[in-house]
Amino acid sequence: MRVVTLSTEDDFEGWRDAARGLAQARVPASEILWQVGETPIDLFADEAVMPPAAPRALKVPRAFLDLAQSAILHSDPERFALLYALLAGDPHRIADQADPLVRRLEAMAREVRRDIHKMRAFVRFREVRDALPFPGTGEPNTRYVAWFEPSHHIVRANARFFVERFANMRWSILTPELSLHWDTETLSEGPGATKADAPGEDPVEDIWKTYYASIFNPARLKTGAMLKEMPRKYWKNMPETALVRELVAGARQRETAMVASAIRPGGNIEGAWQALREEAAHCTRCDLYRHATQTVFGEGPVDARMMIVGEQPGDQEDLAGRPFIGPAGEMFDKAMAAAKIDRAAVYVTNAVKHFKFEPRGKRRIHSKPDAGEIQACRWWYEQERLLIKPEITVALGATAARQLLGKAVTITATRGWPIELPEGGLGWVTIHPSFLLRLPDRSKAEDEFAAFVEDLKGAAKMLA
Ligand code: URA
């Protein structure tokens, strides 16, 4: 067993140098014990890391180094060994998104990046004034002190950001693992601290609160994600969270007010729809935005009498930013033409506006949105409905039907007849065109296609 002792929890260089030597010497991952600390605790018969007799060339893709630099900051003690296993095996496996080891490390790197982002977003300085003025200038000796509890070992990696952002302030960031101190010229490190070492309420809080209220954008509001992004452990350190309840309550009202004013006689529906589409492009109400290329908003005339709702964009829709243009879209267009419905006169949208998928090699395999994702997207769907006010809404498949009716239903029980909707207008449920693409039996596929066309015709008849 070989023991590698890294100097700190985030000692990327130490890990990289040791890992390189060990991998060149072809030492298997199972024979290495990674530890952090000043004094190596070597419980095993130790063999020093010897330089290899004939070092093998070790070519590491850039993507591997990027991944390692983030993943090494994760709090999971296994991270050093997992990264080494990938390095010593074949670091080019990193291109295989379906590889379980790569996925695990990617997930770690993602969590680290989120933690870095959280620290940047949620560190709040409190003002501390020393009784004595600043030596030399006689100005008040003011320092700003913040307390932060990261989930991973990200504090040092984040130091540069705070130095650049708050270059002219004297500040300290205290965390359980280490503290950072900036005196406007030099950054120094100190030992970890406790919350009790940081000051409590202070006058700067009012400034933060005013600032926060002014940047608060109701259209970007997603309460669930806000709680997720800003777990309670951060809330307690942030003065502006005192404002959140009030702002949340006002936000929905303001957004709804924009749509409400547009739908009044003479209101600018097209303008409100454009604004809504633009806001949806930045939607983070659920996690699907993280991997999708873009939001695929509905399209069609804002005075359309018929609205068609699909499930979610597919691979091609995600890339193009338009609904129903891939294989399911072709089938949909064929059925619409057979039912003599002009797609250009219909508003076409989806219950969920980001593509959800599982990466498999180079392919992105469609994955069904869950109830939480459907619910998170309901907001956009409702605003679209308020603006378009369709006389009839056709739901294609179970996800769309769930959005249409506000509850889970089966297609068999709801298909092919008009359903009065509480907000006005009629609903009509039918199959999703991708169902037709999956039918192996040709004559069954033809029958099902004909039934789909009949459903569409039935819905169109309601308009007459
Ligand atoms: N499937 C859908 O439900 N919607 C699309 O936009 C494409 C495929």
Side-chain angles (χ1 to χ4, degrees):
M1 183 62 69
R2 314 199 183 204
V3 180
V4 181
T5 305
L6 302 172
S7 61
T8 53
E9 293 282 359
D10 57 355
D11 182 9
F12 172 71
E13 280 79 22
W15 175 86
R16 185 195 55 201
D17 294 348
R20 190 182 283 147
L22 290 160
Q24 284 178 326
R26 298 181 194 279
V27 177
S30 55
E31 283 187 20
I32 307 167
L33 176 71
W34 299 91
Q35 65 180 24
V36 177
E38 274 158 23
T39 331
I41 312 160
D42 184 358
L43 300 175
F44 304 86
D46 190 11
E47 290 174 47
V49 175
M50 300 296 286
R56 70 167 166 151
L58 196 63
K59 277 217 170 122
V60 177
R62 176 78 235 167
F64 174 82
L65 286 178
D66 291 344
L67 173 73
Q69 261 170 326
S70 293
I72 213 99
L73 307 180
H74 201 276
S75 55
D76 187 334
E78 275 196 80
R79 65 198 182 280
F80 304 120
L82 293 173
L83 280 166
Y84 180 77
L86 185 58
L87 176 78
D90 174 9
H92 293 90
R93 268 162 70 193
I94 192 160
D96 181 1
Q97 296 290 306
D99 186 303
L101 177 58
V102 173
R103 289 181 67 149
R104 182 157 170 207
L105 286 164
E106 293 275 13
M108 283 186 185
R110 259 197 314 278
E111 282 161 26
V112 163
R113 286 194 293 269
R114 285 186 65 149
D115 208 30
I116 288 179
H117 165 75
K118 277 178 185 151
M119 181 171 174
R120 293 178 182 185
F122 302 140
V123 153
R124 292 293 175 266
F125 289 104
R126 295 186 147 114
E127 191 178 7
V128 182
R129 271 188 196 201
D130 283 358
L132 294 175
F134 196 66
T137 66
E139 285 170 20
N141 193 356
T142 305
R143 262 187 335 123
Y144 295 88
V145 182
W147 166 249
F148 188 74
E149 289 166 85
S151 304
H152 303 285
H153 308 291
I154 49 129
V155 176
R156 210 173 271 117
N158 242 344
R160 183 85 353 233
F161 171 87
F162 288 96
V163 164
E164 283 167 12
R165 173 67 65 90
F166 302 108
N168 300 324
M169 274 163 54
R170 277 180 286 276
W171 54 256
S172 298
I173 300 178
L174 311 183
T175 80
E177 202 167 278
L178 78 150
S179 47
L180 297 176
H181 308 282
W182 173 248
D183 65 1
T184 72
E185 278 171 14
T186 314
L187 182 71
S188 54
E189 276 183 23
T194 65
K195 188 167 192 303
D197 298 323
E201 298 275 310
D202 82 295
V204 204
E205 298 202 344
D206 284 343
I207 302 170
W208 276 111
K209 282 184 190 168
T210 315
Y211 169 73
Y212 188 69
S214 70
I215 57 152
F216 186 82
N217 181 346
R220 310 255 158 105
L221 175 69
K222 183 179 60 153
T223 334
M226 196 147 104
L227 281 167
K228 200 160 136 227
E229 285 288 334
M230 204 193 286
R232 300 235 169 247
K233 73 173 188 179
Y234 301 110
W235 282 55
K236 63 181 188 289
N237 298 326
M238 296 175 59
E240 67 270 34
T241 53
L243 285 181
V244 166
R245 191 165 303 142
E246 205 181 302
L247 289 167
V248 167
R252 293 269 156 122
Q253 280 167 16
R254 271 172 282 173
E255 174 102 318
T256 311
M258 176 186 83
V259 172
S261 93
I263 59 181
R264 274 194 216 112
N268 181 0
I269 296 200
E270 182 72 39
W273 179 82
Q274 292 284 0
L276 202 63
R277 183 178 201 275
E278 164 57 25
E279 280 310 328
H282 307 287
C283 182
T284 55
R285 283 168 192 256
C286 75
D287 275 347
L288 295 185
Y289 78 95
R290 291 185 191 281
H291 303 290
T293 311
Q294 56 191 312
T295 305
V296 178
F297 205 62
E299 66 173 23
V302 290
D303 58 355
R305 299 176 67 197
M306 178 184 276
M307 178 185 264
I308 304 245
V309 187
E311 182 198 68
Q312 61 162 346
D315 183 77
Q316 295 192 30
E317 287 82 8
D318 168 76
L319 297 172
R322 294 187 49 212
F324 282 107
I325 51 122
E330 272 176 39
M331 182 62 83
F332 170 65
D333 284 347
K334 207 168 116 193
M336 290 283 275
K340 301 209 166 24
I341 304 173
D342 178 11
R343 174 167 171 171
V346 167
Y347 187 85
V348 180
T349 192
N350 279 301
V352 171
K353 291 178 173 47
H354 277 119
F355 178 34
K356 180 175 181 184
F357 61 92
E358 287 288 328
R360 206 163 298 157
K362 293 209 172 92
R363 297 182 58 215
R364 304 190 298 169
I365 308 297
H366 162 275
S367 161
K368 242 184 168 4
D370 63 29
E373 289 149 356
I374 299 171
Q375 180 59 32
C377 226
R378 193 168 176 78
W379 168 253
W380 300 113
Y381 166 80
E382 282 173 351
Q383 303 310 302
E384 280 178 301
R385 291 187 59 73
L386 280 168
L387 290 174
I388 313 292
K389 278 209 175 52
E391 288 166 50
I392 186 140
T393 304
V394 181
L396 307 178
T399 300
R402 183 184 189 127
Q403 201 67 298
L404 177 77
L405 303 173
K407 59 177 184 198
V409 291
T410 62
I411 300 296
T412 7
T414 47
R415 177 175 187 175
W417 77 78
I419 301 167
E420 289 218 13
L421 299 175
E423 71 271 26
L426 296 174
W428 189 279
V429 174
T430 181
I431 54 152
H432 191 281
S434 63
F435 165 65
L436 302 172
L437 296 170
R438 292 194 298 267
L439 292 173
D441 178 59
R442 198 175 165 151
S443 86
K444 171 122 171 82
E446 278 168 10
D447 290 352
E448 287 293 349
F449 178 78
F452 181 41
V453 172
E454 282 311 304
D455 280 349
L456 293 175
K457 280 187 186 164
K461 260 198 208 130
M462 293 290 131
L463 291 176

